[in-house]
Coordinates of all heavy atoms in Angstrom, one line a residue:
S1 N 0.9 -1.2 0.0 CA 0.0 0.0 0.0 C 0.9 1.2 0.0 O 2.0 1.3 0.4 CB -1.0 0.0 1.2 OG -0.2 0.3 2.4
A2 N 0.3 2.3 -0.4 CA 1.0 3.6 -0.5 C 1.4 4.0 1.0 O 2.5 4.5 1.1 CB 0.2 4.7 -1.1
A3 N 0.6 3.8 1.9 CA 0.8 4.2 3.3 C 2.0 3.3 3.9 O 2.9 3.9 4.5 CB -0.4 3.9 4.1
A4 N 2.1 2.1 3.5 CA 3.2 1.3 4.0 C 4.5 1.8 3.3 O 5.5 1.8 4.0 CB 2.9 -0.1 3.7
A5 N 4.4 2.1 2.1 CA 5.6 2.6 1.5 C 6.1 3.9 2.0 O 7.3 4.0 2.3 CB 5.3 2.8 -0.1
M6 N 5.2 4.8 2.3 CA 5.5 6.0 3.0 C 6.1 5.8 4.3 O 7.1 6.4 4.8 CB 4.2 7.0 3.1 CG 4.5 8.3 3.1 SD 3.0 9.3 2.8 CE 2.1 9.0 4.4
A7 N 5.5 4.8 5.0 CA 6.0 4.6 6.4 C 7.4 4.0 6.4 O 8.3 4.4 7.3 CB 5.1 3.5 7.1
E8 N 7.8 3.3 5.5 CA 9.1 2.7 5.4 C 10.1 3.8 5.0 O 11.2 3.7 5.5 CB 9.2 1.6 4.3 CG 8.7 0.3 4.7 CD 8.5 -0.8 3.5 OE1 9.0 -0.4 2.5 OE2 7.9 -1.7 3.8
A9 N 9.7 4.8 4.3 CA 10.6 5.8 3.8 C 10.8 6.9 4.9 O 11.8 7.6 4.9 CB 10.0 6.5 2.6
E10 N 10.1 6.8 6.0 CA 10.1 8.0 7.0 C 9.7 7.4 8.4 O 8.8 6.6 8.5 CB 9.3 9.1 6.6 CG 9.7 10.3 7.3 CD 8.8 11.6 6.8 OE1 8.1 11.4 5.7 OE2 9.0 12.7 7.2
D11 N 10.3 8.0 9.4 CA 9.8 7.6 10.7 C 8.5 7.9 11.1 O 8.0 9.2 10.7 CB 10.8 8.3 11.8 CG 12.1 7.7 11.8 OD1 12.3 6.5 11.5 OD2 13.1 8.4 12.2
L12 N 7.7 7.1 11.6 CA 6.3 7.4 12.1 C 6.5 7.9 13.5 O 7.2 7.3 14.3 CB 5.5 6.2 12.0 CG 5.2 5.7 10.6 CD1 4.3 4.4 10.8 CD2 4.3 6.6 9.8
V13 N 5.6 8.9 13.8 CA 5.5 9.3 15.3 C 4.1 9.5 15.7 O 3.2 9.6 14.8 CB 6.3 10.7 15.4 CG1 7.9 10.6 15.1 CG2 5.6 11.8 14.6
S14 N 3.9 9.4 17.0 CA 2.6 9.7 17.5 C 2.8 10.8 18.6 O 3.9 10.8 19.4 CB 2.1 8.4 18.3 OG 1.0 8.7 19.0
V15 N 1.9 11.7 18.6 CA 1.9 12.8 19.5 C 0.6 13.3 20.0 O -0.4 13.3 19.1 CB 2.8 14.1 19.0 CG1 2.1 14.7 17.9 CG2 2.9 15.1 20.0
D16 N 0.5 13.6 21.2 CA -0.9 14.0 21.8 C -0.8 15.6 21.8 O 0.3 16.2 22.1 CB -1.0 13.5 23.2 CG -1.2 12.0 23.3 OD1 -1.4 11.4 22.3 OD2 -0.9 11.4 24.4
Y17 N -2.0 16.2 21.6 CA -2.1 17.6 21.6 C -3.3 18.1 22.4 O -4.3 17.4 22.5 CB -2.0 18.2 20.1 CG -3.3 17.7 19.4 CD1 -4.4 18.6 19.4 CD2 -3.3 16.6 18.7 CE1 -5.5 18.1 18.7 CE2 -4.4 16.2 18.0 CZ -5.5 17.0 18.0 OH -6.6 16.6 17.2
E18 N -3.2 19.5 22.8 CA -4.3 20.1 23.4 C -4.1 21.5 23.0 O -3.0 22.2 23.0 CB -4.3 20.0 24.9 CG -5.5 20.6 25.5 CD -5.8 20.2 27.0 OE1 -4.9 19.7 27.7 OE2 -6.9 20.5 27.5
V19 N -5.2 22.1 22.4 CA -5.1 23.5 21.9 C -6.1 24.4 22.8 O -7.3 24.0 23.1 CB -5.7 23.6 20.5 CG1 -5.4 25.0 19.9 CG2 -4.9 22.5 19.6
F20 N -5.5 25.5 23.3 CA -6.3 26.4 24.2 C -6.6 27.7 23.5 O -5.9 28.1 22.5 CB -5.4 26.8 25.4 CG -4.9 25.6 26.2 CD1 -3.9 24.7 25.7 CD2 -5.6 25.3 27.4 CE1 -3.6 23.6 26.4 CE2 -5.2 24.2 28.1 CZ -4.1 23.3 27.7
G21 N -7.7 28.3 23.8 CA -8.2 29.6 23.3 C -9.6 29.4 22.9 O -10.5 28.6 23.6
R22 N -10.1 30.3 21.9 CA -11.5 30.1 21.5 C -11.5 29.0 20.3 O -11.3 29.4 19.3 CB -12.1 31.5 21.0 CG -13.6 31.4 20.8 CD -14.1 32.7 20.4 NE -13.8 33.0 19.1 CZ -14.4 34.0 18.3 NH1 -15.2 34.8 19.0 NH2 -14.1 34.2 17.1
V23 N -11.6 27.8 20.8 CA -11.4 26.7 19.8 C -12.7 25.7 19.8 O -12.8 24.8 19.2 CB -10.2 25.8 20.1 CG1 -8.9 26.7 19.8 CG2 -10.2 25.4 21.6
Q24 N -13.8 26.1 20.6 CA -15.0 25.3 20.6 C -16.1 26.1 19.9 O -16.2 27.4 20.1 CB -15.4 24.8 22.0 CG -14.5 23.7 22.6 CD -15.0 23.1 23.8 OE1 -16.1 23.4 24.2 NE2 -14.2 22.2 24.4
G25 N -16.9 25.5 19.2 CA -18.1 26.1 18.5 C -17.6 27.0 17.3 O -18.3 27.8 16.8
V26 N -16.4 26.8 16.8 CA -15.9 27.5 15.6 C -15.3 26.5 14.5 O -14.4 26.9 13.8 CB -14.8 28.4 16.1 CG1 -15.3 29.6 16.9 CG2 -13.7 27.7 16.8
F27 N -16.1 25.4 14.5 CA -15.7 24.3 13.5 C -14.2 23.9 13.5 O -13.6 23.3 12.6 CB -15.9 24.7 12.1 CG -17.5 25.0 11.8 CD1 -17.9 26.3 11.9 CD2 -18.3 24.0 11.8 CE1 -19.3 26.6 11.7 CE2 -19.8 24.3 11.7 CZ -20.2 25.6 11.6
F28 N -13.6 24.0 14.8 CA -12.1 23.6 14.9 C -11.9 22.1 14.6 O -11.0 21.8 14.0 CB -11.7 24.0 16.4 CG -10.1 24.1 16.4 CD1 -9.5 25.4 16.3 CD2 -9.4 23.1 16.7 CE1 -8.2 25.4 16.4 CE2 -8.1 23.1 16.8 CZ -7.4 24.4 16.6
R29 N -12.7 21.2 15.1 CA -12.6 19.8 15.0 C -12.7 19.4 13.5 O -11.9 18.7 13.0 CB -13.6 19.1 15.8 CG -13.3 19.1 17.3 CD -14.4 18.5 18.0 NE -15.8 19.2 17.7 CZ -16.9 18.7 18.1 NH1 -17.0 17.6 18.6 NH2 -18.1 19.4 17.8
K30 N -13.7 20.1 12.8 CA -13.9 19.7 11.4 C -12.7 20.1 10.6 O -12.2 19.5 9.6 CB -15.2 20.5 10.9 CG -15.6 20.1 9.5 CD -16.9 20.8 9.2 CE -17.6 20.3 7.9 NZ -16.6 20.6 6.7
Y31 N -12.2 21.4 10.8 CA -11.0 21.9 10.1 C -9.7 21.1 10.4 O -8.9 20.9 9.5 CB -10.8 23.3 10.4 CG -11.7 24.3 9.5 CD1 -12.9 24.7 9.9 CD2 -11.1 24.8 8.4 CE1 -13.7 25.4 9.0 CE2 -11.9 25.5 7.5 CZ -13.1 26.0 7.8 OH -13.8 26.7 7.0
T32 N -9.6 20.7 11.7 CA -8.4 19.9 12.0 C -8.5 18.5 11.3 O -7.4 18.0 10.8 CB -8.4 19.6 13.6 OG1 -8.3 20.9 14.2 CG2 -7.2 18.8 14.0
Q33 N -9.7 17.9 11.2 CA -9.9 16.7 10.5 C -9.5 16.8 9.1 O -8.8 16.0 8.5 CB -11.2 16.2 10.7 CG -11.5 14.9 10.0 CD -13.0 14.5 9.9 OE1 -13.9 15.3 9.6 NE2 -13.3 13.2 10.4
G34 N -9.9 17.9 8.5 CA -9.7 18.2 7.0 C -8.2 18.4 6.8 O -7.7 17.8 5.9
E35 N -7.6 19.1 7.7 CA -6.1 19.4 7.5 C -5.2 18.1 7.7 O -4.3 17.8 7.0 CB -5.6 20.4 8.5 CG -4.2 20.9 8.3 CD -4.1 21.7 7.0 OE1 -5.0 22.0 6.3 OE2 -2.8 21.9 6.6
A36 N -5.7 17.3 8.7 CA -5.0 16.0 9.0 C -5.1 15.1 7.8 O -4.2 14.5 7.3 CB -5.6 15.4 10.2
K37 N -6.4 15.0 7.2 CA -6.6 14.1 6.0 C -5.8 14.6 4.8 O -5.2 13.8 4.1 CB -8.1 14.0 5.6 CG -8.8 13.2 6.7 CD -10.2 12.9 6.3 CE -10.8 11.9 7.2 NZ -12.2 11.6 6.9
R38 N -5.7 15.9 4.6 CA -4.9 16.5 3.5 C -3.4 16.2 3.7 O -2.7 15.9 2.7 CB -5.1 18.0 3.6 CG -4.5 18.7 2.4 CD -4.6 20.3 2.5 NE -3.6 20.8 3.5 CZ -2.4 21.0 3.3 NH1 -1.8 20.7 2.2 NH2 -1.6 21.4 4.3
L39 N -2.9 16.0 4.9 CA -1.6 15.7 5.1 C -1.4 14.2 5.2 O -0.2 13.7 5.3 CB -1.0 16.4 6.5 CG -0.9 17.8 6.4 CD1 -0.8 18.4 7.9 CD2 0.2 18.2 5.6
G40 N -2.5 13.4 5.2 CA -2.2 12.0 5.2 C -2.1 11.4 6.6 O -1.5 10.4 6.8
L41 N -2.5 12.1 7.6 CA -2.4 11.7 8.9 C -3.5 10.9 9.6 O -4.6 11.2 9.0 CB -2.0 12.9 9.8 CG -0.7 13.8 9.3 CD1 -0.6 15.0 10.1 CD2 0.5 12.9 9.5
V42 N -3.3 10.3 10.6 CA -4.4 9.6 11.3 C -4.4 10.0 12.8 O -3.4 10.5 13.2 CB -4.4 8.0 11.2 CG1 -4.3 7.6 9.7 CG2 -3.1 7.5 11.9
G43 N -5.4 9.7 13.4 CA -5.7 10.2 14.9 C -7.1 10.5 15.1 O -8.0 10.0 14.6
W44 N -7.2 11.5 16.1 CA -8.5 11.9 16.5 C -8.4 13.3 17.0 O -7.5 13.8 17.4 CB -9.2 10.9 17.4 CG -8.4 10.6 18.6 CD1 -7.4 9.6 18.7 CD2 -8.4 11.2 19.9 NE1 -6.9 9.6 19.9 CE2 -7.5 10.6 20.7 CE3 -9.2 12.3 20.4 CZ2 -7.3 11.0 22.2 CZ3 -8.9 12.6 21.8 CH2 -8.0 12.1 22.6
V45 N -9.6 13.9 17.2 CA -9.9 15.4 17.8 C -11.1 15.2 18.5 O -12.1 14.7 18.2 CB -9.8 16.3 16.7 CG1 -10.9 16.1 15.6 CG2 -9.9 17.7 17.4
Q46 N -11.2 16.0 19.7 CA -12.4 16.1 20.4 C -12.5 17.3 21.3 O -11.3 17.8 21.7 CB -12.6 14.8 21.4 CG -11.7 14.8 22.5 CD -12.1 13.5 23.3 OE1 -12.6 12.6 22.9 NE2 -11.6 13.5 24.6
N47 N -13.6 17.8 21.6 CA -13.8 18.9 22.5 C -13.7 18.3 24.0 O -14.0 17.2 24.2 CB -15.1 19.5 22.4 CG -15.2 20.5 21.3 OD1 -14.2 20.9 20.7 ND2 -16.5 20.8 20.9
T48 N -13.0 19.1 24.9 CA -13.0 18.7 26.3 C -14.0 19.5 27.1 O -14.6 20.5 26.6 CB -11.7 19.0 26.9 OG1 -11.5 20.4 27.1 CG2 -10.5 18.5 26.0
S49 N -14.2 19.0 28.4 CA -15.2 19.7 29.2 C -14.7 21.1 29.7 O -15.5 21.9 30.2 CB -15.6 18.9 30.3 OG -14.4 18.5 31.0
H50 N -13.3 21.3 29.5 CA -12.8 22.6 30.1 C -12.5 23.6 28.8 O -11.6 24.5 29.0 CB -11.6 22.4 31.0 CG -10.6 21.4 30.4 ND1 -10.6 20.1 30.5 CD2 -9.5 21.7 29.7 CE1 -9.6 19.6 30.0 NE2 -8.8 20.5 29.6
G51 N -13.2 23.4 27.8 CA -13.1 24.5 26.7 C -12.0 24.4 25.7 O -11.7 25.3 25.1
T52 N -11.2 23.2 25.8 CA -10.0 23.0 24.9 C -10.5 22.0 23.9 O -11.5 21.3 23.9 CB -8.8 22.6 25.7 OG1 -9.0 21.4 26.2 CG2 -8.4 23.6 26.8
V53 N -9.5 21.8 23.0 CA -9.6 20.7 22.0 C -8.4 19.8 22.2 O -7.2 20.4 22.3 CB -9.8 21.3 20.5 CG1 -9.5 20.2 19.5 CG2 -11.0 21.9 20.3
Q54 N -8.6 18.5 22.2 CA -7.5 17.6 22.4 C -7.6 16.5 21.4 O -8.6 16.1 20.8 CB -7.3 17.2 23.8 CG -8.5 16.2 24.2 CD -8.5 15.6 25.5 OE1 -7.7 16.1 26.4 NE2 -9.2 14.6 25.9
G55 N -6.4 15.8 21.3 CA -6.4 14.6 20.5 C -5.1 13.9 20.2 O -4.1 14.3 21.0
Q56 N -4.9 13.2 19.2 CA -3.7 12.5 18.9 C -3.4 12.5 17.5 O -4.5 12.5 16.6 CB -3.7 11.0 19.4 CG -2.4 10.3 19.3 CD -2.5 8.9 20.0 OE1 -3.2 8.1 19.4 NE2 -1.9 8.7 21.1
I57 N -2.2 12.7 17.1 CA -1.8 12.7 15.7 C -0.7 11.6 15.4 O 0.2 11.5 16.2 CB -1.1 14.0 15.2 CG1 -1.8 15.2 15.8 CG2 -0.9 14.1 13.7 CD1 -0.9 16.5 15.8
Q58 N -0.9 10.8 14.4 CA 0.1 9.8 14.0 C 0.3 10.0 12.5 O -0.6 10.1 11.6 CB -0.4 8.4 14.3 CG -0.5 8.2 15.8 CD -0.9 6.8 16.1 OE1 -1.2 5.9 15.3 NE2 -0.7 6.5 17.5
G59 N 1.5 9.8 12.1 CA 2.0 9.7 10.8 C 3.5 10.0 10.6 O 4.3 10.0 11.5
P60 N 4.0 10.2 9.4 CA 5.3 10.5 9.1 C 5.7 11.9 9.8 O 4.9 12.7 9.8 CB 5.3 10.8 7.6 CG 4.2 10.0 7.1 CD 3.1 10.0 8.2
A61 N 6.9 11.8 10.4 CA 7.3 12.9 11.3 C 7.1 14.3 10.7 O 6.7 15.2 11.3 CB 8.7 12.7 11.8
A62 N 7.6 14.4 9.5 CA 7.6 15.8 8.8 C 6.1 16.3 8.7 O 5.8 17.4 8.8 CB 8.2 15.7 7.4
R63 N 5.1 15.4 8.3 CA 3.8 15.8 8.2 C 3.1 16.1 9.5 O 2.2 17.0 9.6 CB 2.9 14.6 7.5 CG 3.4 14.1 6.2 CD 3.0 15.1 5.1 NE 3.6 14.7 3.8 CZ 2.8 14.0 3.0 NH1 1.7 13.4 3.4 NH2 3.4 13.6 1.8
V64 N 3.5 15.3 10.6 CA 3.1 15.6 11.9 C 3.5 16.9 12.3 O 2.7 17.8 12.9 CB 3.5 14.5 12.9 CG1 3.3 14.8 14.4 CG2 2.9 13.2 12.6
R65 N 4.6 17.4 12.1 CA 5.3 18.8 12.3 C 4.4 19.8 11.6 O 4.1 20.8 12.2 CB 6.7 18.9 11.9 CG 7.6 18.0 12.5 CD 8.1 18.4 13.9 NE 9.0 17.4 14.5 CZ 8.3 16.5 15.3 NH1 7.0 16.6 15.6 NH2 8.9 15.6 15.9
E66 N 4.0 19.5 10.5 CA 3.2 20.5 9.7 C 1.9 20.8 10.4 O 1.3 21.7 10.5 CB 2.9 20.0 8.2 CG 3.9 20.2 7.4 CD 3.6 19.9 5.9 OE1 2.7 20.6 5.4 OE2 4.2 18.9 5.3
L67 N 1.2 19.6 10.9 CA -0.1 19.7 11.6 C 0.1 20.4 13.0 O -0.8 21.2 13.4 CB -0.8 18.4 11.7 CG -2.2 18.5 12.3 CD1 -3.1 19.4 11.3 CD2 -2.8 17.2 12.4
Q68 N 1.2 20.2 13.6 CA 1.5 20.8 14.9 C 1.6 22.3 14.8 O 1.0 23.0 15.4 CB 2.8 20.3 15.5 CG 2.7 18.9 16.1 CD 4.0 18.5 16.6 OE1 5.0 18.3 15.9 NE2 4.1 18.2 18.0
E69 N 2.3 22.7 13.6 CA 2.4 24.1 13.3 C 1.0 24.8 13.0 O 0.7 25.9 13.4 CB 3.3 24.3 12.1 CG 4.0 25.7 11.9 CD 4.9 26.0 13.1 OE1 5.1 25.3 14.0 OE2 5.3 27.3 13.1
W70 N 0.2 23.9 12.3 CA -1.2 24.5 12.0 C -2.0 24.6 13.3 O -2.8 25.6 13.4 CB -1.7 23.4 11.0 CG -3.0 23.9 10.4 CD1 -3.4 24.5 9.3 CD2 -4.4 23.5 11.1 NE1 -4.7 24.6 9.2 CE2 -5.4 24.0 10.2 CE3 -4.7 22.8 12.2 CZ2 -6.8 23.9 10.4 CZ3 -6.2 22.7 12.4 CH2 -7.0 23.3 11.6
L71 N -1.9 23.7 14.1 CA -2.6 23.6 15.4 C -2.1 24.8 16.3 O -2.9 25.3 17.1 CB -2.4 22.4 16.2 CG -3.2 21.1 15.6 CD1 -2.7 19.9 16.3 CD2 -4.7 21.3 15.8
R72 N -0.9 25.2 16.1 CA -0.3 26.3 16.9 C -0.6 27.7 16.4 O -0.9 28.5 17.2 CB 1.2 26.2 16.9 CG 1.9 26.7 18.1 CD 3.5 26.4 17.9 NE 4.0 25.2 18.6 CZ 4.6 24.3 18.0 NH1 5.0 24.3 16.8 NH2 5.0 23.2 18.7
K73 N -0.8 27.7 15.1 CA -0.9 29.1 14.5 C -2.3 29.4 13.6 O -2.5 30.5 13.6 CB 0.3 29.3 13.5 CG 1.6 29.3 14.2 CD 2.6 30.2 13.3 CE 3.9 30.4 14.0 NZ 5.0 29.5 13.7
T74 N -2.8 28.4 13.0 CA -3.8 28.5 12.1 C -5.2 28.1 12.6 O -6.0 29.1 12.9 CB -3.6 27.8 10.8 OG1 -2.2 28.1 10.4 CG2 -4.6 28.2 9.7
G75 N -5.5 27.0 12.8 CA -6.8 26.4 13.3 C -7.9 26.9 12.1 O -7.6 27.1 11.0
S76 N -9.1 26.8 12.8 CA -10.3 27.3 11.8 C -10.3 28.8 11.7 O -9.8 29.5 12.5 CB -11.5 26.6 12.4 OG -11.9 27.2 13.6
P77 N -11.0 29.2 10.7 CA -11.0 30.6 10.4 C -11.5 31.5 11.6 O -11.0 32.6 11.8 CB -12.0 30.8 9.2 CG -11.9 29.6 8.5 CD -11.7 28.5 9.6
Q78 N -12.6 31.0 12.4 CA -13.1 31.8 13.4 C -12.4 31.6 14.7 O -12.7 32.2 15.7 CB -14.6 31.4 13.6 CG -15.5 31.6 12.5 CD -15.5 33.1 12.0 OE1 -15.8 34.0 12.9 NE2 -15.3 33.4 10.8
S79 N -11.4 30.6 14.8 CA -10.8 30.3 16.1 C -9.7 31.4 16.5 O -9.3 32.2 15.7 CB -10.1 29.0 16.0 OG -9.1 29.0 15.1
R80 N -9.5 31.4 17.8 CA -8.5 32.2 18.3 C -7.6 31.4 19.2 O -7.9 31.0 20.3 CB -9.0 33.4 19.2 CG -9.8 34.4 18.4 CD -9.0 35.3 17.5 NE -9.8 36.2 16.7 CZ -10.2 35.9 15.5 NH1 -10.0 34.6 15.0 NH2 -11.0 36.7 14.8
I81 N -6.5 30.9 18.7 CA -5.6 30.1 19.5 C -4.7 30.8 20.4 O -4.0 31.7 19.9 CB -4.7 29.2 18.5 CG1 -5.7 28.3 17.5 CG2 -3.8 28.3 19.3 CD1 -4.9 27.8 16.4
S82 N -4.7 30.4 21.7 CA -3.8 31.1 22.6 C -2.6 30.3 22.7 O -1.5 30.8 22.8 CB -4.3 31.3 23.9 OG -4.8 30.1 24.5
R83 N -2.7 29.0 22.7 CA -1.5 28.1 22.7 C -1.9 26.7 22.4 O -3.0 26.3 22.6 CB -0.7 28.2 24.0 CG -1.3 27.5 25.2 CD -0.5 27.6 26.4 NE -0.9 26.7 27.4 CZ -2.0 27.0 28.2 NH1 -2.7 28.0 28.1 NH2 -2.3 26.0 29.2
A84 N -0.9 25.9 21.9 CA -1.1 24.5 21.7 C 0.0 23.7 22.4 O 1.2 24.1 22.4 CB -1.1 24.2 20.2
E85 N -0.4 22.7 23.2 CA 0.6 21.9 24.0 C 0.7 20.5 23.4 O -0.3 20.0 22.9 CB 0.2 21.9 25.4 CG 0.4 23.2 26.1 CD -0.1 23.1 27.6 OE1 -0.5 22.0 28.1 OE2 0.0 24.1 28.2
F86 N 1.9 19.9 23.2 CA 2.2 18.6 22.7 C 2.9 17.8 23.7 O 3.8 18.3 24.4 CB 3.0 18.7 21.4 CG 2.2 19.5 20.4 CD1 2.6 21.0 20.2 CD2 1.2 19.1 19.7 CE1 2.0 21.8 19.3 CE2 0.6 19.9 18.7 CZ 1.1 21.2 18.4
C87 N 2.5 16.6 23.9 CA 3.2 15.6 24.8 C 3.1 14.2 24.3 O 2.5 14.0 23.3 CB 2.5 15.8 26.2 SG 0.8 15.3 26.2
N88 N 3.8 13.4 25.1 CA 3.8 12.0 24.8 C 4.2 11.6 23.4 O 3.7 10.7 22.8 CB 2.4 11.3 25.0 CG 1.9 11.5 26.5 OD1 2.7 11.4 27.4 ND2 0.6 11.7 26.6
E89 N 5.2 12.3 22.9 CA 5.7 12.1 21.6 C 6.6 10.8 21.6 O 7.4 10.7 22.4 CB 6.5 13.2 21.0 CG 7.0 13.0 19.5 CD 7.5 14.2 18.8 OE1 6.9 15.3 19.0 OE2 8.3 14.1 18.0
K90 N 6.3 9.9 20.7 CA 7.1 8.7 20.5 C 7.2 8.2 19.1 O 6.2 8.4 18.3 CB 6.6 7.7 21.5 CG 5.1 7.2 21.2 CD 4.6 6.2 22.3 CE 3.3 5.7 21.9 NZ 2.1 6.6 22.2
K91 N 8.2 7.4 18.8 CA 8.2 6.8 17.5 C 7.4 5.5 17.6 O 7.2 4.9 18.5 CB 9.6 6.4 17.2 CG 10.5 7.5 16.8 CD 11.9 7.1 16.3 CE 12.7 8.3 15.8 NZ 14.0 8.0 15.1
I92 N 6.7 5.2 16.5 CA 5.9 4.1 16.4 C 6.3 3.3 15.1 O 6.7 3.9 14.3 CB 4.3 4.4 16.4 CG1 4.0 5.4 15.3 CG2 3.9 4.9 17.7 CD1 2.5 5.7 15.1
T93 N 5.9 2.0 15.1 CA 6.2 1.2 14.0 C 5.1 1.0 13.1 O 5.2 0.8 11.8 CB 6.8 -0.2 14.3 OG1 5.9 -0.8 15.3 CG2 8.2 0.0 15.0
V94 N 3.9 1.2 13.6 CA 2.6 1.0 12.8 C 1.6 2.0 13.4 O 1.6 2.3 14.6 CB 2.2 -0.5 13.1 CG1 1.8 -0.8 14.4 CG2 0.9 -0.7 12.1
L95 N 0.8 2.5 12.5 CA -0.3 3.4 12.8 C -1.3 2.7 13.6 O -1.8 1.6 13.3 CB -0.9 4.1 11.6 CG 0.0 4.8 10.6 CD1 -0.7 5.2 9.3 CD2 0.6 6.1 11.4
E96 N -1.8 3.4 14.7 CA -2.7 2.8 15.6 C -4.2 3.2 15.3 O -5.1 2.8 16.0 CB -2.3 3.2 17.0 CG -1.0 2.5 17.5 CD -0.4 3.2 18.7 OE1 -0.8 4.4 19.0 OE2 0.5 2.7 19.2
H97 N -4.4 4.0 14.2 CA -5.8 4.5 13.9 C -6.0 4.3 12.4 O -5.0 4.3 11.6 CB -6.0 6.0 14.2 CG -5.6 6.4 15.6 ND1 -6.4 6.1 16.6 CD2 -4.5 6.9 16.1 CE1 -5.9 6.5 17.9 NE2 -4.7 7.0 17.5
E98 N -7.2 4.1 12.0 CA -7.5 3.8 10.6 C -7.5 5.1 9.8 O -7.1 5.1 8.6 CB -8.9 3.2 10.5 CG -8.9 1.7 11.0 CD -8.3 0.7 10.1 OE1 -8.6 0.7 8.9 OE2 -7.3 0.0 10.5
D99 N -8.1 6.1 10.4 CA -8.2 7.4 9.8 C -8.1 8.5 10.8 O -7.6 8.2 11.9 CB -9.4 7.5 9.0 CG -10.7 7.1 9.8 OD1 -10.6 7.2 11.1 OD2 -11.7 6.8 9.2
F100 N -8.6 9.6 10.5 CA -8.6 10.8 11.5 C -10.0 11.1 11.8 O -10.8 11.6 11.0 CB -8.0 12.0 10.9 CG -7.5 13.0 12.0 CD1 -6.3 13.0 12.6 CD2 -8.4 14.0 12.4 CE1 -5.9 13.9 13.6 CE2 -8.2 14.9 13.5 CZ -6.8 14.9 14.1
Q101 N -10.5 10.8 13.1 CA -11.8 10.9 13.5 C -12.1 12.1 14.4 O -11.3 12.6 15.2 CB -12.3 9.6 14.1 CG -12.2 8.4 13.2 CD -12.8 7.2 13.9 OE1 -12.7 7.0 15.1 NE2 -13.4 6.4 13.2
I102 N -13.4 12.6 14.3 CA -13.8 13.5 15.3 C -14.6 12.7 16.4 O -15.5 12.0 16.0 CB -14.8 14.6 14.7 CG1 -14.1 15.4 13.6 CG2 -15.5 15.4 15.7 CD1 -15.0 16.3 12.8
R103 N -14.1 12.8 17.5 CA -14.7 12.1 18.7 C -15.8 13.0 19.3 O -15.5 14.1 19.6 CB -13.7 11.6 19.7 CG -12.8 10.5 19.1 CD -11.9 9.8 20.2 NE -11.2 8.8 19.7 CZ -10.2 8.1 20.4 NH1 -9.9 8.5 21.7 NH2 -9.4 7.2 19.9
V104 N -16.8 12.4 19.9 CA -17.8 13.2 20.6 C -18.0 12.6 22.0 O -17.6 11.4 22.2 CB -19.2 13.3 19.9 CG1 -19.0 14.3 18.6 CG2 -19.6 12.1 19.4

């Protein structure tokens, strides 16, 4: 598969994220899903009970970096990101998600 070929060519990483600011009720999850899919990444995104958006990203390291930068600076058009935090970064040998899902 193309995904397997891509995986062999580059290190796969997994990273958890949380985005703070005005990120709920502004289609942030939908835009994050769209951007992740455009980059060929898998994982998930969800709103938290304390007004943030959190999730996990997995894929080739360079693509993951691109989404991290997007989460830090861009987001959805109506969002106001104050900061994005990333943790639990690790190398993985196989993707643990089928696609990039919005969790509710």
